[in-house]
Amino acid sequence: MHMPIKKVTPETEYAEIAGWVHEVRDLGGLLFFLIRDRTGILQVTAPKKKVNPAVLDVLKRISRESVVRIRGRVIAIDKAPGGRELVPDEVEILNQCETPLLLDVVEKVPAELDTRLDARFMDIRKPRITSVFLIRSEVIKAIHQFLFSRDFIHITSPKIVAAATEGGTELFPIAYFEKEAFLSQSPQLYKQMMMAAGFEKVFEIGPIFRAEEHNTTKHLNEATSIDVEVSFADHEDVMRLLEDLIVEVYTQVSNRCSEALETLSINELIIPRTPFPRITYQNAIDIAARKTKENIPFGDDIGTTAEKAIGEEMGEHYFIIDWPTVIKPYYAMPHLDSPELCRAFDLMHPRMELASGAQRVHIHELLIEQIRSKGLQPENFEFYLTPFRYGMPPHAGWGLGAERLVMTMIDLTNIREAILFPRDRHRLVP
RNA sequence: GCCCAGGUAGUGUAGCGGCCUAUCAUGCGGGCCUGUCACGCCCGCGACACGGAUUCGAAUUCCGUCCUGGGCGCCA
């Protein structure tokens, strides 16, 4: 069996490796190949006069990015990358790669994002891009471990739904036999129903679909949402959970992804410190007014320019709390003493919003009232509202954008870099 | 959806009315080269998004279409 390239050391005597031909250098009497697998790169050196002529014939036919299996002696040599190289005894071309390549995997010549996404499988072969997705995988793993260690139950909610969750965003309609259906914009209603089911602590990591025609570097039409809901908890409880989770994710990535971080030229991943600062919505719009000289009327959402100005002032992760009830969804619990404000919060990175959450309304009558006040019909949410009449505990939760978490952590400029196959206003393939 | 900037070999670019039979790099094909590591050297291959207009002449100006990047809006 072949061994991972990373495991081939100067002490290894004999190795079989399998991978892609990263580079070929023909010096006349000496032939160098760099063979790449997901763990690293190994140099294969063939002195033309010394290797078996049959092996040499095969070697001469190999094009870059072909898939090969090579067996040979490992030689410790300082002149080679990693202090070791392989002298081939047996070479097999498992699949010859066509030329020219769709883009330059070695990155001597850059490729535009659009070109890269068209040939995403090949783009991902670049060690830098592989590193992004190794880190993303570690982020997801760390979240699972963190939440399971705190006794959360993992759930899976339907992605084909009959109605909008909360209004606001546009939905993708789909044909569901003889009925109209939509792709789910959020697991919100389902995770809340699991509170009525008695699960107490649930989480889901899954796709959400938004049919907004936005065209920015931080929006996707299909994104990955990390959703959490907790019974007998309020907004403060789940904010603490969220900041602890962020710190845990950064810590695990820092501990377990040092090579990937190095590949991305991130020398030290700075782990945020808890507690994250909390500022009220009023504070936020005051900061924005001072820095941008433009007033946000109370009750308006915070636009991109204001968001950036506030982020610049804060300079680290922070929460915006005490939002006006009018701009948050109907399921956000109003403050008892000042119902124009609610127990909703947004988790912000200086660059953008990462998560939003709230203590939820668990009182049936209040929920009906709030749904009506948003201009929605309670009749359309019957399946969701019924549990509130039969023992719904108080609860709170949040939704965190996985792509935004990854992109802000490793400083990607475009959210499309943080997902394998982005879906945006114009891209549906691959 | 609005605004701005773009679309030139496989990839990334230069050229912005005649010096264009279109630059350079990388790549690809061929040749030389026994320690490369962005190997080097020689020869060759390969492109003006599409449609219309202006002009003696258009890659270059204008109009339309399609596509891309960025900013904003919407949204998370």
Side-chain angles (χ1 to χ4, degrees):
Chain A
M1 264 312 282
H2 72 274
M3 60 194 288
I5 279 171
K6 195 162 84 178
K7 294 271 168 67
V8 180
T9 67
E11 289 74 42
T12 310
E13 288 181 3
Y14 201 85
E16 175 182 324
I17 59 166
W20 287 259
V21 177
H22 195 63
E23 281 194 82
V24 180
R25 293 193 197 103
D26 185 348
L27 269 65
L30 261 183
L31 207 45
F32 294 109
F33 296 85
L34 297 181
I35 309 300
R36 181 193 71 243
D37 70 10
R38 70 178 234 196
T39 70
I41 289 177
L42 176 65
Q43 177 165 281
V44 171
T45 303
K48 285 186 185 169
K49 285 179 183 164
K50 291 183 189 166
V51 301
N52 178 326
V55 170
L56 189 60
D57 276 351
V58 177
L59 287 173
K60 283 199 216 155
R61 292 206 325 268
I62 297 176
S63 56
R64 287 196 313 160
E65 293 304 315
S66 292
V67 186
V68 296
R69 175 155 54 211
I70 302 178
R71 269 183 272 261
R73 276 182 303 120
V74 179
I75 294 173
I77 181 164
D78 288 342
K79 283 184 277 192
R84 91 259 112 119
E85 66 185 16
L86 191 72
V87 179
D89 288 338
E90 282 179 63
V91 177
E92 191 181 349
I93 302 175
L94 300 175
N95 222 149
Q96 184 80 249
C97 180
E98 287 184 20
T99 61
L101 298 174
L102 302 172
L103 48 78
D104 176 17
V105 178
V106 178
E107 293 196 270
K108 282 181 192 172
V109 180
E112 287 194 6
L113 184 59
D114 192 50
T115 306
R116 293 170 44 208
L117 292 176
D118 282 340
R120 190 56 151 161
F121 72 94
M122 189 168 281
D123 180 53
I124 291 168
R125 291 181 187 175
K126 297 188 278 197
R128 275 178 51 249
I129 310 302
T130 300
S131 296
V132 170
F133 291 100
L134 290 179
I135 289 168
R136 179 179 160 128
S137 174
E138 188 57 50
V139 166
I140 300 298
K141 181 179 164 190
I143 292 169
H144 273 92
Q145 289 179 337
F146 175 83
L147 293 171
F148 280 133
S149 77
R150 297 202 177 197
D151 298 323
F152 277 76
I153 296 176
H154 175 266
I155 62 164
T156 305
S157 65
K159 301 306 153 202
I160 302 174
V161 297
T165 305
E166 47 198 273
T169 194
E170 295 291 320
L171 300 177
F172 287 110
I174 57 169
Y176 191 74
F177 304 112
E178 70 282 3
K179 294 185 178 124
E180 190 186 36
F182 303 93
L183 292 176
S184 170
Q185 66 178 112
S186 158
Q188 181 65 30
L189 306 188
Y190 293 92
K191 61 179 184 170
Q192 285 192 260
M193 284 195 281
M194 296 319 291
M195 299 299 96
F199 274 13
E200 295 193 26
K201 295 170 157 187
V202 300
F203 81 102
E204 172 166 10
I205 300 176
I208 55 169
F209 305 91
R210 311 274 165 109
E212 297 293 337
E213 298 196 356
H214 35 47
N215 200 234
T216 78
T217 53
K218 58 180 186 185
H219 293 274
L220 293 165
N221 291 292
E222 178 177 356
T224 310
S225 180
I226 300 154
D227 270 275
V228 155
E229 204 67 26
V230 184
S231 288
F232 312 112
D234 64 16
H235 53 303
E236 299 284 353
D237 296 323
V238 293
M239 282 163 73
R240 281 192 292 273
L241 176 76
L242 179 51
E243 62 189 3
D244 286 348
L245 176 134
I246 298 289
V247 167
E248 177 66 10
V249 167
Y250 271 72
T251 304
Q252 293 303 339
V253 168
S254 174
N255 290 160
R256 296 182 189 153
C257 300
S258 50
E259 280 178 41
L261 289 167
E262 200 178 310
T263 303
L264 290 167
S265 308
I266 299 170
N267 298 320
E268 195 194 347
L269 186 66
I270 297 174
I271 298 166
R273 280 199 227 152
T274 55
F276 298 167
R278 272 91 165 140
I279 61 170
T280 65
Y281 167 85
Q282 186 63 54
N283 291 338
I285 60 175
D286 289 346
I287 293 169
R290 194 178 77 234
K291 294 198 69 141
T292 67
K293 312 280 182 236
E294 270 183 58
N295 274 96
I296 299 170
F298 183 90
D300 274 19
D301 219 330
I302 297 171
T304 308
T305 313
E307 187 178 280
K308 280 181 186 161
I310 302 161
E312 198 180 296
E313 171 102 354
M314 300 304 293
E316 59 184 326
H317 288 82
Y318 63 102
F319 285 106
I320 301 178
I321 60 171
D322 293 343
W323 285 80
T325 305
V326 289
I327 50 172
K328 285 293 177 184
Y330 57 80
Y331 49 74
M333 178 70 93
H335 277 121
L336 295 175
D337 49 354
S338 49
E340 72 283 1
L341 297 177
C342 65
R343 296 183 174 181
F345 59 87
D346 279 6
L347 170 65
M348 310 295 297
H349 178 276
R351 287 175 64 194
M352 70 190 76
E353 180 185 338
L354 295 183
S356 63
Q359 181 181 335
R360 319 301 189 185
V361 176
H362 62 284
I363 312 295
H364 186 251
E365 296 70 32
L366 180 55
L367 194 51
I368 299 276
E369 193 184 302
Q370 297 226 135
I371 288 174
R372 288 223 173 88
S373 76
K374 300 285 177 189
L376 300 168
Q377 271 74 52
E379 302 75 55
N380 296 340
F381 301 91
E382 205 53 48
F383 75 97
Y384 165 67
L385 290 168
T386 301
F388 289 81
R389 294 158 49 206
Y390 292 93
M392 175 63 87
H395 59 282
W398 41 256
L400 167 65
E403 286 78 20
R404 288 187 175 187
L405 177 60
V406 171
M407 92 183 269
T408 53
M409 174 158 50
I410 59 178
D411 207 24
L412 302 173
T413 54
N414 190 317
I415 198 166
R416 280 160 263 241
E417 299 268 13
I419 185 166
L420 292 171
F421 298 102
R423 289 290 172 266
D424 65 30
R425 178 66 184 85
H426 300 288
R427 181 173 287 276
L428 190 53
V429 174

